[in-house]
Amino acid sequence: MNVRRDGALMRNSSQGSIFCKSKVGTAIFIGVLLGFVFAFLFPAGIFKSSALSVRDSRSVKFITQADSNSCDSSERIDMLKSEFISASEKNAQLEKQIRELTEKLKLAEQGKDHAQKQVLALGKQSKAGPFGTVKAVRTNPPVIPDQSVNPRLANILEKVAVNRELIVAVANSNVKAMLELWFTTIKKAGIPNYLVVALDDEIVQFCKTNDVPVYKRDPDEKVDSIGRTGGNHAVSGTKFSILREFLQLGYGVLLSDVDIVYLQNPFDHLYRDSDVESMTDGHDNATAYGYNHVFEEPSMGWARFAHTMRIWVYNSGFFYIRPTIPAIELLDRVAKRLSQERNSWDQAVFNEELFFPSHSNYEGLYASRRTMDFYLFMNSKVLFKTVRKDDNLKKLKPVIVHVNYHPDKFPRMKAVVDFYVNGKQDALNPFPDGSDW
């Protein structure tokens, strides 16, 4: 019994020892395994990381705030830089647009921008109508008035002009007697819208004394020298430069020499469908409005007859000019040539610029023009050579009579007044058809 009991105890003891060893081994294995796991997950150590986290929390928070403020400040600087760059770019674009618009305005004023002139002339595109119904554009649109060109003149024109139109004469004291007869007939005809551009102080005072609207330009040595000493042709040449400001201000001008007698209001007889509407030096339908002239050259044999188109010149002493781009270009062209070609006659240059077509390197003026009725807007050749000898034509009362064909201007002007205004039927008889000169 004792032997069995001892044996059993020994077995039990052996088994307990083995079981304990097994638990220890398992614990060691689990510990090692956990060690590997923690070593893998927390290489810097659990307590060190925790300590660092606690110790440096305030520092981390300060750094974070500092970084945040730095980022905000940096972002604002970047935003301001971006806004500055954007504003600079917009400013550069605006400056570029201003330069472009200024250049376009300059070109328009000088009449050199052909594309713009075509747009103004043609307007919106349209389809061609049926046969016989198509008509091209004849009336160019007026320019936009620019009062900054001459505010003083603009104020005068606002008071004098009617429907933005007026008669304008350029005069100095050399034509004082004719000027007086000129504005006397204007007043007699009941024409309110007229203005004298005085080239000297004597004419300014003379006009003011006679209650005549007058304007004297600001000092300009070129114009002033002509005003002091210039004859009829010299004074006539200055008017093209002077008229430019009137057109820029948006006014239609009926340019008038002072050797003209007014019998009716000319504004009642204008068509206003062209850039230039002028009286003619022609004396009948053919010479005034154009004709087919045959030139004969016998040496050419079968081709001895060559057909040409002729028209007598427009009179540069009486024409209506609208405030359009082609009209301003005409004034610029004539004024430039007269300043460069000292021996040129203003009427010849005026007609050459109006009628010469484009050819080779020469670019003609694209201005519309109309010839006035030569019986209504009568030159002195028509009056003294034809009208006064015809009983029917003598009954016609013209709008104006321009004594342009005769040098004895003042006595013929007074005779015209006597004949048409005072009813003296023989007033025109003493004068020859032509001139004694």
Side-chain angles (χ1 to χ4, degrees), residues 19 65 107 157 164 200 229 260 266 280 284 342 358 374:
F19 178 75
Q65 289 176 348
L107 291 172
L157 296 182
R164 302 192 71 82
D200 57 43
T229 62
I260 293 176
T280 174
D284 56 23
R342 295 298 182 180
S358 298
F374 69 92

Side-chain angles (χ1 to χ4, degrees), residues 246-257:
F246 287 79
L247 268 59
Q248 285 181 275
L249 292 170
Y251 289 85
V253 174
L254 186 56
L255 189 281
S256 173
D257 283 351

Side-chain angles (χ1 to χ4, degrees), residues 360-372:
S360 301
N361 293 328
Y362 175 77
E363 184 179 353
L365 179 70
Y366 295 92
S368 56
R369 54 191 183 270
R370 169 181 279 273
T371 306
M372 292 177 173

